[in-house]
Amino acid sequence: KTCSPCMCAGQGQKIADDVGFSDYMKQLPDRLVSHLQTSTGEQDAREKTRKFIIELEQLQNYPLDPSFHNFAVSGEWQLLYSTSRISAPDTNLKLRSIRSEWDDKNGKIVHDVAWEFTEDGDHHTAGSFQVISNFSYGDTPSMPARCHLSVDALELSPQPLNRPPKDPQALISALQRALPKEFFDPDGAVLDTTYLDPSVRIVCFL
């Protein structure tokens, strides 16, 4: 990883520069979210995303205690960005939202995808696809909040239930190509939280 110019600019500067740097870092989580919500996906935009992520990770703001990690990440999170490579998407599939819900009381992570699917040009269906996983903490001394995942169930639910896709397997294949592997099949995955605040969470899958 490399240090961005903003991270290196404080040395030897005036106090006013330090205050400006502090303000910049406080605004960085909101800047990242705003950037991702308006990003075009071009190379320059990806480089800017990478810069923001590196700057946040360098703060080393993440929970080390598993109990506090459980408390801090519990609830619903929306996926805004992934570095995972995905296959060419199926133009008949639209993803309306990709979310994760952490259930710390039951040790579950639920990845929930809202989808719309078109078959034969005029057969439109919609629904949700859920990947339900158990999580546990490992015994790595340097990363006590490192999580290990094991998939418990996959659930495909059309809405309404009486209007399913004609070919569910085709839909599953389309979802597999469109989603990061860590979302579609996180079985055996190991994840570290490398940055966390109330609105932004950065995760590294190993």
Side-chain angles (χ1 to χ4, degrees):
K1 295 180 180 179
T2 57
C3 204
S4 74
C6 289
M7 293 294 289
C8 298
Q11 189 173 6
Q13 300 298 314
K14 297 179 180 179
I15 294 177
D17 292 333
D18 294 335
V19 173
F21 173 77
S22 177
D23 289 342
Y24 171 83
M25 296 307 294
K26 288 179 182 179
Q27 297 169 8
L28 191 53
D30 290 337
R31 288 175 181 268
L32 174 60
V33 171
S34 177
H35 169 67
L36 291 174
Q37 289 175 337
T38 58
S39 175
T40 60
E42 299 296 329
Q43 180 65 29
D44 289 349
R46 293 197 299 271
E47 287 298 325
K48 189 173 183 179
T49 299
R50 181 173 178 272
K51 171 181 175 292
F52 285 158
I53 290 174
I54 289 174
E55 290 175 344
L56 285 174
E57 287 182 326
Q58 287 175 336
L59 294 176
Q60 297 185 351
N61 186 44
Y62 52 81
L64 291 175
D65 179 71
S67 297
F68 182 71
H69 181 269
N70 263 347
F71 169 77
V73 302
S74 63
E76 189 176 86
W77 298 84
Q78 180 181 359
L79 178 67
L80 295 178
Y81 180 77
S82 173
T83 57
S84 293
R85 293 186 177 184
I86 59 174
S87 303
D90 188 329
T91 56
N92 293 315
L93 175 69
K94 293 182 180 179
L95 302 181
R96 291 305 182 189
S97 67
I98 307 175
R99 300 178 182 274
S100 292
E101 182 174 354
W102 283 69
D103 180 357
D104 61 304
K105 293 182 179 179
N106 297 305
K108 300 281 188 182
I109 302 174
V110 180
H111 293 166
D112 186 280
V113 180
W115 53 265
E116 294 182 5
F117 194 51
T118 301
E119 297 169 283
D120 301 331
D122 60 356
H123 185 74
H124 305 287
T125 54
S128 67
F129 173 68
Q130 290 189 334
V131 181
I132 303 168
S133 301
N134 301 306
F135 74 88
S136 60
Y137 293 100
D139 54 1
T140 305
S142 60
M143 296 296 292
R146 174 170 289 174
C147 291
H148 297 254
L149 308 186
S150 60
V151 173
D152 186 43
L154 303 173
E155 296 182 359
L156 184 67
S157 304
Q159 299 170 358
L161 290 174
N162 62 358
R163 188 174 174 80
K166 293 180 179 179
D167 187 351
Q169 187 56 51
L171 171 57
I172 291 294
S173 296
L175 287 166
Q176 184 176 15
R177 293 196 299 272
L179 294 171
K181 183 180 185 299
E182 305 82 43
F183 258 71
F184 183 85
D185 181 19
D187 194 47
V190 178
L191 64 88
D192 290 333
T193 297
T194 57
Y195 175 83
L196 180 66
D197 70 23
S199 61
V200 174
R201 178 168 169 260
I202 301 173
V203 172
C204 177
F205 279 85
L206 308 177

